[in-house]
Amino acid sequence: MSASPIPAMPQARFAIGEVVRHRLLDFRGVIFDVDPQFANSDEWYDAIPEPMRPSKDQPFYHLLAENAEASYVAYVSQQNLVHDESDEPIDHPAIPSMFDSFDGERYKLRPEHRH
């Protein structure tokens, strides 16, 4: 009896420190962590309206996010992210504790957060 092949893990298109924006909703953010596939609660997932609900079999990104009203942490599927072309920094209060500098495209992770 042969072992069944392990399905390929989807490749992450974005990296920690990159500035991205949501494809459908009006917010942008900097990536501070990546899950190779969905790793949040079923309650969180089920709260997404079904027509917008993404597949769980893709990378999900943790963002220090902002919109016109607030700064917050967001959890977003790869299919719903695109590169942010604004060259503007993200104005989130947690950025100085995680990142050193912004070069117009990405933030440099502080040494104590690299692993």
Side-chain angles (χ1 to χ4, degrees):
M1 183 174 206
S2 64
S4 58
I6 297 171
M9 180 93 47
Q11 284 296 106
R13 275 191 234 136
F14 306 103
I16 291 173
E18 280 189 71
V19 177
V20 293
R21 64 179 175 83
H22 196 282
R23 182 183 305 274
L24 305 170
L25 305 175
D26 189 22
F27 72 86
R28 51 197 288 274
V30 59
I31 296 167
F32 70 90
D33 199 7
V34 182
D35 294 332
Q37 60 187 15
F38 182 78
N40 207 332
S41 70
D42 288 334
E43 292 81 13
W44 183 92
Y45 187 77
D46 293 341
I48 300 169
E50 200 166 335
M52 291 179 60
R53 200 172 293 156
S55 164
K56 290 183 176 182
D57 297 333
Q58 62 181 312
F60 276 72
Y61 299 84
H62 300 261
L63 308 178
L64 298 177
E66 67 177 4
N67 61 25
E69 292 83 39
S71 296
Y72 51 96
V73 173
Y75 190 66
V76 185
S77 65
Q78 180 162 277
Q79 76 186 54
N80 284 324
L81 289 177
V82 294
H83 286 282
D84 181 73
E85 305 292 335
S86 73
D87 298 329
E88 294 290 323
I90 300 296
D91 185 24
H92 191 288
I95 286 179
S97 68
M98 291 183 149
F99 298 98
D100 275 336
S101 58
F102 178 63
D103 67 9
E105 289 185 19
R106 75 171 3 150
Y107 285 86
K108 182 179 176 193
L109 199 59
R110 294 178 70 86
E112 62 268 27
H113 293 292
R114 294 183 196 142
H115 40 250

